[in-house]
Amino acid sequence: MLELTNTLETQLGIIKPGIEKHLSDLETNPEPDDLSGTTSLLLLRNRLNKFATDVDGVFAELHELWSSDEDMANMYLTTKKITGHRRRIDQHEEVELLVENYLRILEHVKADIQSLQQAIKTTDDHVNLHLDSIRNKIMRMSLLLSVATFSTTLASVTAAIFGMNLTSGMETSPNAFVGVTMAILAGNGVMFVAAYLYSKYKRIW
């Protein structure tokens, strides 16, 4: 049991620094240049969860042993070999103290695991919030480009209509070109501003 608990403590000592480093890096820079940081954290989280399952299994077995006077009495193999019979069911103080000590060690390991799991969850929430903010900015930019494209398209349609070979009475006017151009640009600007204000009113922007 001593070797087993020492092994579990050693494994925790290996896993914990890597997770803490990745959490620190992600909190400092939640938008890395590549996905290596988040991928490594995912692998470490899976490893931590598997390790937590192993620790829980060992803890449950030891707790079951600690709860059974008969099983603890049967741990005195030397006494049984020498005397030919096991100890009385209530004579297991040494084994009980050892098991309690191992349980305390595993409780500390479990507490560290839970702390790391909570830290991972908090960092995940922080990163997801940051990514949501980026997605919202991209959506707003996409909406802005769509509005600009729509208003420009309307201006192009208007220009195409005036470019048709039809008589409108404006062909001989020296100021017609400037007037039509200004009207198209003004209409384009009004359409863009109206669409923008409407999106703000509807809380789309």
Side-chain angles (χ1 to χ4, degrees), residues 63-99:
H63 194 273
E64 183 178 352
L65 173 62
W66 178 76
S67 302
S68 174
D69 292 334
E70 183 178 357
D71 288 341
M72 285 191 287
N74 287 333
M75 295 290 291
Y76 291 90
L77 300 178
T78 303
T79 300
K80 186 175 182 180
K81 182 177 180 180
I82 294 175
T83 63
H85 56 81
R86 68 183 186 187
R87 282 196 178 192
R88 281 171 32 195
I89 197 171
D90 59 343
Q91 293 181 338
H92 51 67
E93 292 81 5
E94 297 88 350
V95 170
E96 184 175 0
L97 289 174
L98 284 174
V99 174

PDB file of all heavy atoms in Angstrom, residues 63-99:
ATOM      1  N   HIS A  63     -10.916   2.302   1.723  1.00  0.00           N
ATOM      2  CA  HIS A  63     -12.004   2.672   2.636  1.00  0.00           C
ATOM      3  C   HIS A  63     -12.840   1.442   2.988  1.00  0.00           C
ATOM      4  O   HIS A  63     -13.286   1.294   4.143  1.00  0.00           O
ATOM      5  CB  HIS A  63     -12.888   3.747   2.003  1.00  0.00           C
ATOM      6  CG  HIS A  63     -13.816   4.404   2.980  1.00  0.00           C
ATOM      7  ND1 HIS A  63     -15.068   3.889   3.287  1.00  0.00           N
ATOM      8  CD2 HIS A  63     -13.682   5.521   3.753  1.00  0.00           C
ATOM      9  CE1 HIS A  63     -15.651   4.647   4.176  1.00  0.00           C
ATOM     10  NE2 HIS A  63     -14.836   5.656   4.483  1.00  0.00           N
ATOM     11  N   GLU A  64     -13.026   0.572   2.029  1.00  0.00           N
ATOM     12  CA  GLU A  64     -13.761  -0.668   2.298  1.00  0.00           C
ATOM     13  C   GLU A  64     -12.984  -1.538   3.286  1.00  0.00           C
ATOM     14  O   GLU A  64     -13.572  -2.139   4.193  1.00  0.00           O
ATOM     15  CB  GLU A  64     -14.002  -1.423   0.994  1.00  0.00           C
ATOM     16  CG  GLU A  64     -14.831  -2.685   1.165  1.00  0.00           C
ATOM     17  CD  GLU A  64     -15.101  -3.386  -0.146  1.00  0.00           C
ATOM     18  OE1 GLU A  64     -14.771  -2.808  -1.216  1.00  0.00           O
ATOM     19  OE2 GLU A  64     -15.629  -4.511  -0.133  1.00  0.00           O
ATOM     20  N   LEU A  65     -11.654  -1.600   3.100  1.00  0.00           N
ATOM     21  CA  LEU A  65     -10.812  -2.352   4.036  1.00  0.00           C
ATOM     22  C   LEU A  65     -10.888  -1.737   5.430  1.00  0.00           C
ATOM     23  O   LEU A  65     -11.013  -2.450   6.438  1.00  0.00           O
ATOM     24  CB  LEU A  65      -9.366  -2.355   3.541  1.00  0.00           C
ATOM     25  CG  LEU A  65      -8.309  -2.954   4.485  1.00  0.00           C
ATOM     26  CD1 LEU A  65      -8.584  -4.434   4.752  1.00  0.00           C
ATOM     27  CD2 LEU A  65      -6.905  -2.761   3.909  1.00  0.00           C
ATOM     28  N   TRP A  66     -10.799  -0.405   5.501  1.00  0.00           N
ATOM     29  CA  TRP A  66     -10.842   0.306   6.789  1.00  0.00           C
ATOM     30  C   TRP A  66     -12.185   0.092   7.498  1.00  0.00           C
ATOM     31  O   TRP A  66     -12.266   0.108   8.725  1.00  0.00           O
ATOM     32  CB  TRP A  66     -10.600   1.786   6.545  1.00  0.00           C
ATOM     33  CG  TRP A  66     -10.669   2.639   7.762  1.00  0.00           C
ATOM     34  CD1 TRP A  66      -9.732   2.753   8.742  1.00  0.00           C
ATOM     35  CD2 TRP A  66     -11.756   3.499   8.137  1.00  0.00           C
ATOM     36  NE1 TRP A  66     -10.149   3.632   9.708  1.00  0.00           N
ATOM     37  CE2 TRP A  66     -11.394   4.107   9.359  1.00  0.00           C
ATOM     38  CE3 TRP A  66     -12.977   3.814   7.552  1.00  0.00           C
ATOM     39  CZ2 TRP A  66     -12.213   5.017  10.000  1.00  0.00           C
ATOM     40  CZ3 TRP A  66     -13.800   4.712   8.185  1.00  0.00           C
ATOM     41  CH2 TRP A  66     -13.420   5.299   9.403  1.00  0.00           C
ATOM     42  N   SER A  67     -13.244  -0.128   6.727  1.00  0.00           N
ATOM     43  CA  SER A  67     -14.578  -0.309   7.303  1.00  0.00           C
ATOM     44  C   SER A  67     -14.825  -1.733   7.799  1.00  0.00           C
ATOM     45  O   SER A  67     -15.841  -1.986   8.451  1.00  0.00           O
ATOM     46  CB  SER A  67     -15.652   0.053   6.266  1.00  0.00           C
ATOM     47  OG  SER A  67     -15.496   1.392   5.827  1.00  0.00           O
ATOM     48  N   SER A  68     -13.929  -2.659   7.497  1.00  0.00           N
ATOM     49  CA  SER A  68     -14.133  -4.064   7.861  1.00  0.00           C
ATOM     50  C   SER A  68     -13.102  -4.495   8.913  1.00  0.00           C
ATOM     51  O   SER A  68     -11.909  -4.609   8.604  1.00  0.00           O
ATOM     52  CB  SER A  68     -14.026  -4.954   6.618  1.00  0.00           C
ATOM     53  OG  SER A  68     -14.072  -6.313   6.966  1.00  0.00           O
ATOM     54  N   ASP A  69     -13.551  -4.717  10.132  1.00  0.00           N
ATOM     55  CA  ASP A  69     -12.652  -5.206  11.177  1.00  0.00           C
ATOM     56  C   ASP A  69     -12.067  -6.575  10.813  1.00  0.00           C
ATOM     57  O   ASP A  69     -10.896  -6.846  11.073  1.00  0.00           O
ATOM     58  CB  ASP A  69     -13.408  -5.311  12.506  1.00  0.00           C
ATOM     59  CG  ASP A  69     -13.802  -3.950  13.047  1.00  0.00           C
ATOM     60  OD1 ASP A  69     -13.107  -2.969  12.704  1.00  0.00           O
ATOM     61  OD2 ASP A  69     -14.799  -3.850  13.788  1.00  0.00           O
ATOM     62  N   GLU A  70     -12.881  -7.403  10.219  1.00  0.00           N
ATOM     63  CA  GLU A  70     -12.426  -8.755   9.874  1.00  0.00           C
ATOM     64  C   GLU A  70     -11.309  -8.719   8.834  1.00  0.00           C
ATOM     65  O   GLU A  70     -10.299  -9.420   8.963  1.00  0.00           O
ATOM     66  CB  GLU A  70     -13.591  -9.573   9.344  1.00  0.00           C
ATOM     67  CG  GLU A  70     -13.226 -11.018   9.015  1.00  0.00           C
ATOM     68  CD  GLU A  70     -14.424 -11.824   8.546  1.00  0.00           C
ATOM     69  OE1 GLU A  70     -15.544 -11.286   8.521  1.00  0.00           O
ATOM     70  OE2 GLU A  70     -14.215 -13.009   8.194  1.00  0.00           O
ATOM     71  N   ASP A  71     -11.474  -7.886   7.821  1.00  0.00           N
ATOM     72  CA  ASP A  71     -10.442  -7.788   6.785  1.00  0.00           C
ATOM     73  C   ASP A  71      -9.136  -7.234   7.349  1.00  0.00           C
ATOM     74  O   ASP A  71      -8.047  -7.688   6.979  1.00  0.00           O
ATOM     75  CB  ASP A  71     -10.931  -6.895   5.646  1.00  0.00           C
ATOM     76  CG  ASP A  71     -12.010  -7.563   4.818  1.00  0.00           C
ATOM     77  OD1 ASP A  71     -12.127  -8.807   4.891  1.00  0.00           O
ATOM     78  OD2 ASP A  71     -12.747  -6.844   4.101  1.00  0.00           O
ATOM     79  N   MET A  72      -9.219  -6.254   8.246  1.00  0.00           N
ATOM     80  CA  MET A  72      -7.997  -5.705   8.836  1.00  0.00           C
ATOM     81  C   MET A  72      -7.320  -6.730   9.742  1.00  0.00           C
ATOM     82  O   MET A  72      -6.087  -6.824   9.781  1.00  0.00           O
ATOM     83  CB  MET A  72      -8.318  -4.419   9.611  1.00  0.00           C
ATOM     84  CG  MET A  72      -8.581  -3.224   8.707  1.00  0.00           C
ATOM     85  SD  MET A  72      -8.649  -1.641   9.606  1.00  0.00           S
ATOM     86  CE  MET A  72     -10.242  -1.811  10.415  1.00  0.00           C
ATOM     87  N   ALA A  73      -8.098  -7.524  10.455  1.00  0.00           N
ATOM     88  CA  ALA A  73      -7.517  -8.576  11.293  1.00  0.00           C
ATOM     89  C   ALA A  73      -6.813  -9.624  10.442  1.00  0.00           C
ATOM     90  O   ALA A  73      -5.788 -10.188  10.848  1.00  0.00           O
ATOM     91  CB  ALA A  73      -8.600  -9.216  12.156  1.00  0.00           C
ATOM     92  N   ASN A  74      -7.350  -9.878   9.256  1.00  0.00           N
ATOM     93  CA  ASN A  74      -6.739 -10.869   8.367  1.00  0.00           C
ATOM     94  C   ASN A  74      -5.435 -10.365   7.744  1.00  0.00           C
ATOM     95  O   ASN A  74      -4.725 -11.149   7.092  1.00  0.00           O
ATOM     96  CB  ASN A  74      -7.721 -11.230   7.253  1.00  0.00           C
ATOM     97  CG  ASN A  74      -8.862 -12.098   7.741  1.00  0.00           C
ATOM     98  OD1 ASN A  74      -8.708 -12.845   8.719  1.00  0.00           O
ATOM     99  ND2 ASN A  74     -10.006 -12.023   7.081  1.00  0.00           N
ATOM    100  N   MET A  75      -5.111  -9.091   7.904  1.00  0.00           N
ATOM    101  CA  MET A  75      -3.874  -8.544   7.355  1.00  0.00           C
ATOM    102  C   MET A  75      -2.644  -8.998   8.136  1.00  0.00           C
ATOM    103  O   MET A  75      -1.520  -8.903   7.638  1.00  0.00           O
ATOM    104  CB  MET A  75      -3.932  -7.013   7.364  1.00  0.00           C
ATOM    105  CG  MET A  75      -4.995  -6.414   6.458  1.00  0.00           C
ATOM    106  SD  MET A  75      -4.616  -6.602   4.711  1.00  0.00           S
ATOM    107  CE  MET A  75      -3.208  -5.494   4.561  1.00  0.00           C
ATOM    108  N   TYR A  76      -2.831  -9.535   9.347  1.00  0.00           N
ATOM    109  CA  TYR A  76      -1.698  -9.983  10.158  1.00  0.00           C
ATOM    110  C   TYR A  76      -1.308 -11.400   9.723  1.00  0.00           C
ATOM    111  O   TYR A  76      -1.583 -12.396  10.393  1.00  0.00           O
ATOM    112  CB  TYR A  76      -2.063  -9.953  11.644  1.00  0.00           C
ATOM    113  CG  TYR A  76      -2.245  -8.559  12.202  1.00  0.00           C
ATOM    114  CD1 TYR A  76      -3.504  -7.953  12.182  1.00  0.00           C
ATOM    115  CD2 TYR A  76      -1.179  -7.850  12.728  1.00  0.00           C
ATOM    116  CE1 TYR A  76      -3.683  -6.675  12.690  1.00  0.00           C
ATOM    117  CE2 TYR A  76      -1.353  -6.569  13.227  1.00  0.00           C
ATOM    118  CZ  TYR A  76      -2.606  -5.997  13.210  1.00  0.00           C
ATOM    119  OH  TYR A  76      -2.782  -4.726  13.716  1.00  0.00           O
ATOM    120  N   LEU A  77      -0.628 -11.504   8.608  1.00  0.00           N
ATOM    121  CA  LEU A  77      -0.283 -12.814   8.051  1.00  0.00           C
ATOM    122  C   LEU A  77       0.781 -13.521   8.882  1.00  0.00           C
ATOM    123  O   LEU A  77       0.765 -14.752   9.007  1.00  0.00           O
ATOM    124  CB  LEU A  77       0.199 -12.645   6.608  1.00  0.00           C
ATOM    125  CG  LEU A  77      -0.803 -12.012   5.631  1.00  0.00           C
ATOM    126  CD1 LEU A  77      -0.187 -11.865   4.247  1.00  0.00           C
ATOM    127  CD2 LEU A  77      -2.078 -12.829   5.564  1.00  0.00           C
ATOM    128  N   THR A  78       1.709 -12.753   9.455  1.00  0.00           N
ATOM    129  CA  THR A  78       2.769 -13.374  10.257  1.00  0.00           C
ATOM    130  C   THR A  78       2.194 -14.046  11.501  1.00  0.00           C
ATOM    131  O   THR A  78       2.579 -15.169  11.859  1.00  0.00           O
ATOM    132  CB  THR A  78       3.815 -12.328  10.677  1.00  0.00           C
ATOM    133  OG1 THR A  78       4.344 -11.699   9.505  1.00  0.00           O
ATOM    134  CG2 THR A  78       4.948 -12.973  11.460  1.00  0.00           C
ATOM    135  N   THR A  79       1.257 -13.371  12.147  1.00  0.00           N
ATOM    136  CA  THR A  79       0.607 -13.949  13.331  1.00  0.00           C
ATOM    137  C   THR A  79      -0.114 -15.242  12.976  1.00  0.00           C
ATOM    138  O   THR A  79      -0.028 -16.247  13.697  1.00  0.00           O
ATOM    139  CB  THR A  79      -0.391 -12.947  13.927  1.00  0.00           C
ATOM    140  OG1 THR A  79       0.303 -11.757  14.293  1.00  0.00           O
ATOM    141  CG2 THR A  79      -1.079 -13.527  15.150  1.00  0.00           C
ATOM    142  N   LYS A  80      -0.793 -15.229  11.859  1.00  0.00           N
ATOM    143  CA  LYS A  80      -1.525 -16.432  11.440  1.00  0.00           C
ATOM    144  C   LYS A  80      -0.571 -17.562  11.112  1.00  0.00           C
ATOM    145  O   LYS A  80      -0.845 -18.739  11.406  1.00  0.00           O
ATOM    146  CB  LYS A  80      -2.390 -16.091  10.229  1.00  0.00           C
ATOM    147  CG  LYS A  80      -3.306 -17.218   9.796  1.00  0.00           C
ATOM    148  CD  LYS A  80      -4.222 -16.765   8.667  1.00  0.00           C
ATOM    149  CE  LYS A  80      -5.173 -17.882   8.257  1.00  0.00           C
ATOM    150  NZ  LYS A  80      -6.084 -17.460   7.160  1.00  0.00           N
ATOM    151  N   LYS A  81       0.591 -17.224  10.521  1.00  0.00           N
ATOM    152  CA  LYS A  81       1.559 -18.253  10.156  1.00  0.00           C
ATOM    153  C   LYS A  81       2.201 -18.864  11.391  1.00  0.00           C
ATOM    154  O   LYS A  81       2.446 -20.086  11.453  1.00  0.00           O
ATOM    155  CB  LYS A  81       2.627 -17.647   9.246  1.00  0.00           C
ATOM    156  CG  LYS A  81       3.664 -18.641   8.762  1.00  0.00           C
ATOM    157  CD  LYS A  81       4.643 -17.975   7.815  1.00  0.00           C
ATOM    158  CE  LYS A  81       5.689 -18.981   7.322  1.00  0.00           C
ATOM    159  NZ  LYS A  81       6.660 -18.361   6.387  1.00  0.00           N
ATOM    160  N   ILE A  82       2.482 -18.052  12.399  1.00  0.00           N
ATOM    161  CA  ILE A  82       3.165 -18.541  13.601  1.00  0.00           C
ATOM    162  C   ILE A  82       2.206 -19.297  14.507  1.00  0.00           C
ATOM    163  O   ILE A  82       2.518 -20.397  14.998  1.00  0.00           O
ATOM    164  CB  ILE A  82       3.812 -17.357  14.358  1.00  0.00           C
ATOM    165  CG1 ILE A  82       4.943 -16.750  13.521  1.00  0.00           C
ATOM    166  CG2 ILE A  82       4.356 -17.829  15.710  1.00  0.00           C
ATOM    167  CD1 ILE A  82       5.542 -15.509  14.137  1.00  0.00           C
ATOM    168  N   THR A  83       1.044 -18.707  14.744  1.00  0.00           N
ATOM    169  CA  THR A  83       0.105 -19.299  15.718  1.00  0.00           C
ATOM    170  C   THR A  83      -0.877 -20.279  15.094  1.00  0.00           C
ATOM    171  O   THR A  83      -1.511 -21.069  15.798  1.00  0.00           O
ATOM    172  CB  THR A  83      -0.691 -18.183  16.424  1.00  0.00           C
ATOM    173  OG1 THR A  83      -1.478 -17.504  15.448  1.00  0.00           O
ATOM    174  CG2 THR A  83       0.249 -17.202  17.098  1.00  0.00           C
ATOM    175  N   GLY A  84      -1.013 -20.188  13.778  1.00  0.00           N
ATOM    176  CA  GLY A  84      -1.954 -21.083  13.114  1.00  0.00           C
ATOM    177  C   GLY A  84      -3.369 -20.549  13.079  1.00  0.00           C
ATOM    178  O   GLY A  84      -4.259 -21.197  12.523  1.00  0.00           O
ATOM    179  N   HIS A  85      -3.586 -19.408  13.666  1.00  0.00           N
ATOM    180  CA  HIS A  85      -4.916 -18.807  13.607  1.00  0.00           C
ATOM    181  C   HIS A  85      -4.745 -17.290  13.540  1.00  0.00           C
ATOM    182  O   HIS A  85      -3.706 -16.737  13.924  1.00  0.00           O
ATOM    183  CB  HIS A  85      -5.769 -19.196  14.827  1.00  0.00           C
ATOM    184  CG  HIS A  85      -5.130 -18.847  16.139  1.00  0.00           C
ATOM    185  ND1 HIS A  85      -5.185 -17.585  16.675  1.00  0.00           N
ATOM    186  CD2 HIS A  85      -4.394 -19.608  17.017  1.00  0.00           C
ATOM    187  CE1 HIS A  85      -4.522 -17.559  17.830  1.00  0.00           C
ATOM    188  NE2 HIS A  85      -4.033 -18.780  18.048  1.00  0.00           N
ATOM    189  N   ARG A  86      -5.768 -16.642  13.060  1.00  0.00           N
ATOM    190  CA  ARG A  86      -5.686 -15.192  12.896  1.00  0.00           C
ATOM    191  C   ARG A  86      -5.950 -14.498  14.226  1.00  0.00           C
ATOM    192  O   ARG A  86      -6.402 -15.102  15.198  1.00  0.00           O
ATOM    193  CB  ARG A  86      -6.725 -14.716  11.871  1.00  0.00           C
ATOM    194  CG  ARG A  86      -8.158 -14.864  12.338  1.00  0.00           C
ATOM    195  CD  ARG A  86      -9.134 -14.449  11.258  1.00  0.00           C
ATOM    196  NE  ARG A  86     -10.505 -14.468  11.771  1.00  0.00           N
ATOM    197  CZ  ARG A  86     -11.566 -14.274  11.018  1.00  0.00           C
ATOM    198  NH1 ARG A  86     -11.422 -14.069   9.731  1.00  0.00           N
ATOM    199  NH2 ARG A  86     -12.781 -14.294  11.563  1.00  0.00           N
ATOM    200  N   ARG A  87      -5.675 -13.210  14.213  1.00  0.00           N
ATOM    201  CA  ARG A  87      -5.942 -12.401  15.402  1.00  0.00           C
ATOM    202  C   ARG A  87      -7.431 -12.261  15.649  1.00  0.00           C
ATOM    203  O   ARG A  87      -8.248 -12.477  14.751  1.00  0.00           O
ATOM    204  CB  ARG A  87      -5.340 -10.997  15.246  1.00  0.00           C
ATOM    205  CG  ARG A  87      -3.844 -10.928  15.468  1.00  0.00           C
ATOM    206  CD  ARG A  87      -3.443  -9.483  15.675  1.00  0.00           C
ATOM    207  NE  ARG A  87      -2.022  -9.343  15.948  1.00  0.00           N
ATOM    208  CZ  ARG A  87      -1.461  -8.224  16.380  1.00  0.00           C
ATOM    209  NH1 ARG A  87      -2.217  -7.148  16.578  1.00  0.00           N
ATOM    210  NH2 ARG A  87      -0.184  -8.158  16.608  1.00  0.00           N
ATOM    211  N   ARG A  88      -7.745 -11.867  16.865  1.00  0.00           N
ATOM    212  CA  ARG A  88      -9.141 -11.565  17.154  1.00  0.00           C
ATOM    213  C   ARG A  88      -9.600 -10.407  16.284  1.00  0.00           C
ATOM    214  O   ARG A  88      -8.810  -9.551  15.890  1.00  0.00           O
ATOM    215  CB  ARG A  88      -9.315 -11.199  18.633  1.00  0.00           C
ATOM    216  CG  ARG A  88      -9.334 -12.438  19.537  1.00  0.00           C
ATOM    217  CD  ARG A  88      -9.275 -12.068  21.008  1.00  0.00           C
ATOM    218  NE  ARG A  88      -9.945 -10.786  21.288  1.00  0.00           N
ATOM    219  CZ  ARG A  88      -9.762 -10.127  22.425  1.00  0.00           C
ATOM    220  NH1 ARG A  88      -8.918 -10.577  23.349  1.00  0.00           N
ATOM    221  NH2 ARG A  88     -10.416  -9.003  22.656  1.00  0.00           N
ATOM    222  N   ILE A  89     -10.893 -10.368  15.986  1.00  0.00           N
ATOM    223  CA  ILE A  89     -11.436  -9.420  15.032  1.00  0.00           C
ATOM    224  C   ILE A  89     -11.271  -7.967  15.478  1.00  0.00           C
ATOM    225  O   ILE A  89     -11.288  -7.042  14.657  1.00  0.00           O
ATOM    226  CB  ILE A  89     -12.930  -9.741  14.773  1.00  0.00           C
ATOM    227  CG1 ILE A  89     -13.395  -9.055  13.480  1.00  0.00           C
ATOM    228  CG2 ILE A  89     -13.790  -9.301  15.951  1.00  0.00           C
ATOM    229  CD1 ILE A  89     -14.764  -9.481  13.043  1.00  0.00           C
ATOM    230  N   ASP A  90     -11.088  -7.760  16.792  1.00  0.00           N
ATOM    231  CA  ASP A  90     -10.936  -6.394  17.282  1.00  0.00           C
ATOM    232  C   ASP A  90      -9.480  -6.008  17.525  1.00  0.00           C
ATOM    233  O   ASP A  90      -9.198  -4.928  18.029  1.00  0.00           O
ATOM    234  CB  ASP A  90     -11.738  -6.206  18.575  1.00  0.00           C
ATOM    235  CG  ASP A  90     -11.291  -7.178  19.663  1.00  0.00           C
ATOM    236  OD1 ASP A  90     -10.621  -8.186  19.323  1.00  0.00           O
ATOM    237  OD2 ASP A  90     -11.595  -6.927  20.833  1.00  0.00           O
ATOM    238  N   GLN A  91      -8.542  -6.873  17.154  1.00  0.00           N
ATOM    239  CA  GLN A  91      -7.116  -6.594  17.364  1.00  0.00           C
ATOM    240  C   GLN A  91      -6.461  -6.235  16.022  1.00  0.00           C
ATOM    241  O   GLN A  91      -5.823  -7.070  15.375  1.00  0.00           O
ATOM    242  CB  GLN A  91      -6.427  -7.808  17.988  1.00  0.00           C
ATOM    243  CG  GLN A  91      -6.878  -8.113  19.408  1.00  0.00           C
ATOM    244  CD  GLN A  91      -6.157  -9.307  19.999  1.00  0.00           C
ATOM    245  OE1 GLN A  91      -5.625 -10.159  19.283  1.00  0.00           O
ATOM    246  NE2 GLN A  91      -6.115  -9.370  21.323  1.00  0.00           N
ATOM    247  N   HIS A  92      -6.630  -4.988  15.626  1.00  0.00           N
ATOM    248  CA  HIS A  92      -6.081  -4.556  14.320  1.00  0.00           C
ATOM    249  C   HIS A  92      -5.672  -3.084  14.376  1.00  0.00           C
ATOM    250  O   HIS A  92      -5.748  -2.375  13.370  1.00  0.00           O
ATOM    251  CB  HIS A  92      -7.117  -4.752  13.213  1.00  0.00           C
ATOM    252  CG  HIS A  92      -8.468  -4.155  13.527  1.00  0.00           C
ATOM    253  ND1 HIS A  92      -8.680  -2.811  13.640  1.00  0.00           N
ATOM    254  CD2 HIS A  92      -9.663  -4.748  13.765  1.00  0.00           C
ATOM    255  CE1 HIS A  92      -9.935  -2.573  13.926  1.00  0.00           C
ATOM    256  NE2 HIS A  92     -10.571  -3.745  14.019  1.00  0.00           N
ATOM    257  N   GLU A  93      -5.235  -2.642  15.556  1.00  0.00           N
ATOM    258  CA  GLU A  93      -4.948  -1.209  15.722  1.00  0.00           C
ATOM    259  C   GLU A  93      -3.859  -0.732  14.766  1.00  0.00           C
ATOM    260  O   GLU A  93      -3.968   0.350  14.150  1.00  0.00           O
ATOM    261  CB  GLU A  93      -4.524  -0.918  17.174  1.00  0.00           C
ATOM    262  CG  GLU A  93      -5.621  -1.089  18.210  1.00  0.00           C
ATOM    263  CD  GLU A  93      -5.802  -2.548  18.603  1.00  0.00           C
ATOM    264  OE1 GLU A  93      -5.000  -3.389  18.125  1.00  0.00           O
ATOM    265  OE2 GLU A  93      -6.726  -2.852  19.366  1.00  0.00           O
ATOM    266  N   GLU A  94      -2.782  -1.513  14.627  1.00  0.00           N
ATOM    267  CA  GLU A  94      -1.669  -1.083  13.764  1.00  0.00           C
ATOM    268  C   GLU A  94      -2.107  -0.940  12.316  1.00  0.00           C
ATOM    269  O   GLU A  94      -1.787   0.048  11.637  1.00  0.00           O
ATOM    270  CB  GLU A  94      -0.502  -2.068  13.863  1.00  0.00           C
ATOM    271  CG  GLU A  94       0.126  -2.184  15.235  1.00  0.00           C
ATOM    272  CD  GLU A  94      -0.575  -3.225  16.104  1.00  0.00           C
ATOM    273  OE1 GLU A  94      -1.656  -3.713  15.698  1.00  0.00           O
ATOM    274  OE2 GLU A  94      -0.041  -3.532  17.187  1.00  0.00           O
ATOM    275  N   VAL A  95      -2.833  -1.987  11.823  1.00  0.00           N
ATOM    276  CA  VAL A  95      -3.298  -1.937  10.429  1.00  0.00           C
ATOM    277  C   VAL A  95      -4.277  -0.778  10.240  1.00  0.00           C
ATOM    278  O   VAL A  95      -4.241  -0.062   9.230  1.00  0.00           O
ATOM    279  CB  VAL A  95      -3.968  -3.270  10.034  1.00  0.00           C
ATOM    280  CG1 VAL A  95      -4.664  -3.138   8.674  1.00  0.00           C
ATOM    281  CG2 VAL A  95      -2.941  -4.382   9.993  1.00  0.00           C
ATOM    282  N   GLU A  96      -5.131  -0.556  11.210  1.00  0.00           N
ATOM    283  CA  GLU A  96      -6.094   0.531  11.107  1.00  0.00           C
ATOM    284  C   GLU A  96      -5.397   1.886  11.006  1.00  0.00           C
ATOM    285  O   GLU A  96      -5.783   2.738  10.205  1.00  0.00           O
ATOM    286  CB  GLU A  96      -7.026   0.514  12.316  1.00  0.00           C
ATOM    287  CG  GLU A  96      -8.131   1.560  12.244  1.00  0.00           C
ATOM    288  CD  GLU A  96      -9.123   1.444  13.388  1.00  0.00           C
ATOM    289  OE1 GLU A  96      -8.944   0.546  14.237  1.00  0.00           O
ATOM    290  OE2 GLU A  96     -10.063   2.252  13.429  1.00  0.00           O
ATOM    291  N   LEU A  97      -4.352   2.078  11.798  1.00  0.00           N
ATOM    292  CA  LEU A  97      -3.600   3.336  11.738  1.00  0.00           C
ATOM    293  C   LEU A  97      -2.923   3.504  10.376  1.00  0.00           C
ATOM    294  O   LEU A  97      -2.899   4.604   9.813  1.00  0.00           O
ATOM    295  CB  LEU A  97      -2.558   3.373  12.853  1.00  0.00           C
ATOM    296  CG  LEU A  97      -3.109   3.540  14.277  1.00  0.00           C
ATOM    297  CD1 LEU A  97      -1.983   3.414  15.307  1.00  0.00           C
ATOM    298  CD2 LEU A  97      -3.816   4.887  14.428  1.00  0.00           C
ATOM    299  N   LEU A  98      -2.364   2.406   9.848  1.00  0.00           N
ATOM    300  CA  LEU A  98      -1.717   2.469   8.538  1.00  0.00           C
ATOM    301  C   LEU A  98      -2.727   2.822   7.447  1.00  0.00           C
ATOM    302  O   LEU A  98      -2.471   3.697   6.606  1.00  0.00           O
ATOM    303  CB  LEU A  98      -1.047   1.133   8.204  1.00  0.00           C
ATOM    304  CG  LEU A  98       0.268   0.830   8.921  1.00  0.00           C
ATOM    305  CD1 LEU A  98       0.732  -0.592   8.600  1.00  0.00           C
ATOM    306  CD2 LEU A  98       1.345   1.840   8.523  1.00  0.00           C
ATOM    307  N   VAL A  99      -3.864   2.144   7.470  1.00  0.00           N
ATOM    308  CA  VAL A  99      -4.883   2.408   6.456  1.00  0.00           C
ATOM    309  C   VAL A  99      -5.395   3.837   6.553  1.00  0.00           C
ATOM    310  O   VAL A  99      -5.596   4.519   5.539  1.00  0.00           O
ATOM    311  CB  VAL A  99      -6.042   1.401   6.582  1.00  0.00           C
ATOM    312  CG1 VAL A  99      -7.172   1.756   5.625  1.00  0.00           C
ATOM    313  CG2 VAL A  99      -5.559  -0.020   6.303  1.00  0.00           C
TER     314      VAL A  99
END
